[in-house]
Amino acid sequence: MKKWLFFLFAVLAVIVLTACTANESAGEGDPSESNDSDDAQTEEPSEKVLYLNNGVEPTSFDPPIGFDSNSWQALNNLMEGLTRLGKDDQPQPATAEDWDISDDGKEYTFYIRDDAKWSNGDDVTADDFVYAWKRMLDPETGSPAAFLGYFIEGGEAFNSGEGSADDVAVVAEDDKTFKVTLTAPTGYFLNVIANPAFFPINQAVAEENPEWFAEADTFVGNGPFILESWKHDTSMVMAKNDQYWDAETVKLDKVNWAMVNDSNTEYQMYQSGDLDTSGVPSDMAEELMSGDDVIIEDQAGTYFYRFNVTKEPFQNTKIRKAFAMAVDQQQIVEYVTKNGEKPAYGFVAPGFTGPSGNDFRETNGNLVEFDPEKAKTLLEEGMAEEGYDELPPVTLSYNTSDSHKAIAETLQQMLKQNIGVDVELANAEWNVFLQDQKDLKHQLSRSSFLHDYADPINALESFITDSSMNRTGWSNAEFDGLIAKAKAEANEEKRWEYMYEAEKVLFDEMPIFPIYFYNQVLLQKENVTGIVRHPVGYMELKWADKN
C-alpha cells in the first residue's frame, strides 16, 4: 500500500487543520535585555538574512525534550523527520522519499533518501531513527513527548517500565529502510511523525557526546539550516545547510533569532527594522489590526488554566466549577487580548471535522459558560461540603509575560467581583514555572496547549492519569477508558463518539477551565514571503524568502 493511501485515511479520519503537543509555552517567554546586534553588523550585502524573535531561550534542542513551541520554532528548521508538513499542512516526503503501508494499516515501511545527510556529512540511516525513537520512549530519558510513541507496538510498555527496548516495534531492515508496527490502524500517523519528537538523532555523535544538542559547535542536524551560533538567553543564528537533500529550495542564507519576551519591545524592534515579524501588543491592537502588514492564520490550541486537585480548596469539584463559571471569556478576548481570538467553552479547538462532516466543537457544544449566580451557589455548596467557614487562600500562578499578567489580573478582578474571592498573583520565569507546574506545586496556574498532530484525541489524551501533560493531579477511570477505546477504535463514528463523551467527562469534573482558542496574529514586513506557520505550532522557513 503506497503513500497515496494515507491521504484517503486522512480524509476519512480528520481534515488536517491543526496538530504540540502540546505545548505549554505558546506565546510565553523570558526577558532579554537586548537582541544580538553584532550578527547584524557582520551581514554581507548579498546575504538574505531573516530577523525573527523566539521570545525566550529554547527549552532544549534535544528532540524528545524540547517539546514546546519555544524549541520547535528553530528545531523544526534545524532537523527533519521522515515526513514534513507541506505548505498545505499535509505530511509530505522528507527524509523518507517514499513508504509502504500494509493492508491492515498497522505496518509502515519507510525508504530513506540516499542523499539524506547530517550536517557533519554522515549519512542519515534507519538506525538513527531506531535509536532516536527508542530513546524518546526510554523512561530514563524522561521525555514529555513519550506518549506520542504509544501508537507503536511495545512503546507504552517500554515507557511505563513494563517492557524493554527490544519490544518496541521499530526496525532497521537495512541502512535506508525503516519499519514500524503500530498497535492499531492510525490514519493520521504520518502527521504524528512530523512532530520534532520523532526527529532522528545521529547515534555516533550522541554516543560520543551526550550533550551534542546543547551548543552550536556540537549541534548536528539534518534540516534546511545549521546552528551557526547560539548566545544563550540572547540570540541564535541559523545558516543554510548545504548538506540538506533539498538545499536548492532554501532561499535564505541566515536566520537571526532574538530572545525578547516583551510584546512592546518586540514591536519597537519591528518598527526599527531589527525584526521582520512581530506580535501585536494588546494595547495597540485597535490601531494595528487593520494594517496591510497584519497576518491572521489558524492555530489549533487552547489557552487555559489548571486546577491542582491535590491542593485545597480545589479538591472539591463544585469549587472548581464555581471558579470556572465566574470567568467571562468573551470579555477577556474583547478587552484584554484583543487579537481576534475565539472565547473557549470547551477544550478541543474548532477545525476538526468528523466522519459526519460536522466540526467537533460545534457538535459537542459549550461545556462551561459564564454564570456568576450559579458560580456563587456552587461555591457555597462546595464550601459546605468541605466544612469551610472561609475559603483557604488561593494563589494564581503564571509565567512572566506582559500578556499573561494582563489575563491573570483580569481573572483576579472577575473572581473578586463575581464570587467574592480574593486571589493572590505570583509569577516566575518559564523554566521555573513549568517545573513547579509539573511537580504540582501550584494551586491554580495558566497553561496553553497546541496540537502535536491533527486529531482531537491529541488534546484530550493530555488528561489521562499519569500523563506528563496532565499536571492537575486529576484522575478519572471513565475518562481513561474512553480515551483508550478511542485510540484503539478503527470505526471512525464510534471513535468520535468516545471522544465526545471523554470531553464531557473532563468538564463534568472541571480540573481545567478554558479562556480562548488560539489564532496566529502577527505583523510581517512586505519583503518577506514564504514563511509557513502550521496550525500545529511548527514554523517552516524552508520556503521563506526575503527580497
Side-chain angles (χ1 to χ4, degrees), residues 388-402:
Y388 294 147
D389 292 327
E390 60 181 51
L391 202 67
V394 173
T395 298
L396 182 156
S397 302
Y398 63 95
N399 57 291
T400 305
S401 160
D402 57 333

Side-chain angles (χ1 to χ4, degrees), residues 24 74 207 228 231 274 279 285 305 328 334 341 415 448 459:
E24 288 308 315
E207 289 178 344
E228 184 175 86
K231 299 179 181 179
D274 292 326
Y305 272 77
D328 188 342
E334 284 189 13
E341 302 96 341
L415 292 169
S448 57

Side-chain angles (χ1 to χ4, degrees), residues 475-546:
S475 175
N476 182 285
E478 181 184 4
F479 180 85
D480 290 353
L482 288 166
I483 297 300
K485 288 178 180 178
K487 295 182 84 167
E489 181 58 63
N491 181 291
E492 281 297 289
E493 291 185 359
K494 289 183 180 179
R495 191 173 76 87
W496 279 64
E497 285 300 324
Y498 289 140
M499 292 191 290
Y500 292 141
E501 288 302 311
E503 191 188 42
K504 290 174 182 175
V505 171
L506 180 68
F507 277 80
D508 188 53
E509 294 273 319
M510 204 72 74
I512 61 167
F513 67 90
I515 302 297
Y516 61 79
F517 295 122
Y518 279 109
N519 59 4
Q520 299 184 78
V521 180
L522 65 147
L523 308 172
Q524 182 170 299
K525 300 291 187 182
E526 292 182 1
N527 64 334
V528 174
T529 59
I531 297 177
V532 178
R533 299 174 179 89
H534 300 298
V536 292
Y538 323 142
M539 178 191 290
E540 301 282 356
L541 302 176
K542 175 176 177 175
W543 301 286
D545 199 359
K546 184 176 177 180

Side-chain angles (χ1 to χ4, degrees), residues 86-138:
K87 296 177 183 179
D88 60 355
D89 304 322
Q90 295 279 354
Q92 64 178 30
T95 301
E97 62 183 351
D98 200 1
W99 50 80
D100 293 325
I101 306 173
S102 63
D103 290 340
D104 64 2
K106 294 171 62 177
E107 191 175 277
Y108 287 69
T109 303
F110 295 92
Y111 305 103
I112 297 170
R113 298 176 186 277
D114 288 336
D115 56 351
K117 300 282 186 180
W118 291 104
S119 55
N120 66 354
D122 292 348
D123 285 338
V124 178
T125 69
D127 282 319
D128 292 328
F129 281 95
V130 172
Y131 174 79
W133 289 21
K134 287 189 177 184
R135 182 172 172 271
M136 175 184 69
L137 287 162
D138 190 334

Side-chain angles (χ1 to χ4, degrees), residues 66-77:
F67 193 58
D68 53 59
S69 63
N70 292 333
S71 305
W72 286 349
Q73 299 283 58
L75 187 57
N76 190 54
N77 296 285

